[in-house]
Amino acid sequence: MAEPGARLTVRARSTARRTAEVIGSWVGDRRARIAVWIGFALVVAGLAGFLAVLDAVRDADDLAALDEPVLTTLAQGRSDLLTGFLTVVTVAAGTTVLPLVVLGAALVWGLVRERWWQAGLLAGAMVVSTLVSVTLKRVVARPRPPVDMMTGAGIEESYSFPSGHTIGAATLLLVAGYLVWVARPSVRSAVGWGVGVVVGVLLVGISRLYLGYHFVTDVVASMALAVAVLGGVVVLDRRRAARAARVRPG
């Protein structure tokens, strides 16, 4: 029969272990909750940025004052080499190539890595950004730049605001980068993610401006919307993480 002192020691160790598990869970839950609020902040910031650009477009002032000058300047500075390169960029971010990239990434996450949650988040974010873009184009109904300004990838006659290519590329890079980073967060990977997003989104946005398919405000509005979509993904993902942290001790 165990001594009373031994039983007390075992009970104390068991209590300490459970307390440590609860504290560890609470810390994880707290971090997830903070991340949820960061996600909400991204949604608000993205929507606020978009509304500010939309107001500028409707009033033809502020950022919209750059639309015509930038379009004209870029058209005058075209070269065969740069036109060819940016045409490849804009085609890669279009409705044919980009969905294949998203499908491939989702299949890798789902079938190969067995992370269907991440695959679903990426696919869902792309669907949402596409629906938002198509809907806003019809609601705002802003004409594209003149046809004689367009070059490289044919004539596009749909509405201009916002840029579908830009919101698609920005959403893909932001959301995929976040999902990769959050699995193994580090400063180095965060810097790499940030650089990749900036370079990729700027390339696509500049290609749309340079080739004459969009105005500056179209591109900037799309970037803001992509940030809002990222915020929604962060909220969903971190709320799931918070729930997991709460139930883990049980």
Side-chain angles (χ1 to χ4, degrees):
M1 184 174 179
E3 295 293 332
R7 289 200 301 270
L8 288 175
T9 301
V10 172
R11 185 178 301 174
R13 288 176 178 174
S14 177
T15 302
R17 188 182 303 112
R18 289 196 300 269
T19 302
E21 290 175 350
V22 171
I23 291 175
S25 171
W26 180 81
V27 171
D29 181 36
R30 184 185 182 190
R31 290 176 179 174
R33 288 176 179 273
I34 292 173
V36 167
W37 285 109
I38 293 175
F40 278 122
L42 289 173
V43 172
V44 172
L47 292 178
F50 169 77
L51 292 175
V53 177
L54 177 60
D55 181 69
V57 169
R58 287 177 170 172
D59 294 341
D61 59 7
D62 298 331
L63 185 62
L66 297 176
D67 284 343
E68 294 293 342
V70 170
L71 184 68
T72 303
T73 300
L74 291 177
Q76 293 174 346
R78 287 172 181 162
S79 67
D80 292 339
L81 180 62
L82 191 54
T83 298
F85 170 70
L86 291 179
T87 298
V88 172
V89 172
T90 207
V91 170
T95 56
T96 301
V97 177
L98 194 63
L100 295 177
V101 174
V102 175
L103 177 61
L107 288 176
V108 168
W109 256 318
L111 296 176
V112 180
R113 303 294 297 277
E114 296 184 350
R115 295 182 177 179
W116 289 106
W117 172 254
Q118 287 82 356
L121 281 178
L122 178 62
M126 295 303 296
V127 170
V128 168
S129 67
T130 299
L131 292 176
V132 167
S133 174
V134 171
T135 302
L136 287 173
K137 282 178 182 290
R138 294 178 178 178
V139 171
V140 179
R142 184 189 197 187
R144 284 187 183 267
V147 171
D148 57 3
M149 285 286 189
M150 301 179 185
T151 186
I155 304 300
E156 294 187 15
E157 298 178 349
S158 59
Y159 292 120
S160 183
F161 185 90
S163 167
H165 284 65
T166 305
I167 192 175
T171 299
L172 173 62
L173 292 173
L174 285 170
V175 173
Y178 161 75
L179 293 173
V180 171
W181 175 81
V182 80
R184 293 183 178 179
S186 69
V187 174
R188 182 177 181 180
S189 60
V191 172
W193 171 33
V195 171
V197 169
V198 170
V199 172
V201 174
L202 284 180
L203 267 179
V204 174
I206 290 174
S207 75
R208 303 305 287 167
L209 298 174
Y210 176 89
L211 298 174
Y213 294 108
H214 282 287
F215 299 106
V216 171
T217 44
D218 301 336
V219 171
V220 175
S222 295
M223 294 178 182
L225 289 172
V227 170
V229 173
L230 171 64
V233 169
V234 172
V235 170
L236 291 175
D237 185 52
R238 293 299 89 194
R239 286 192 66 181
R240 180 174 181 266
R243 288 195 298 269
R246 286 195 295 272
V247 302
R248 190 175 295 120

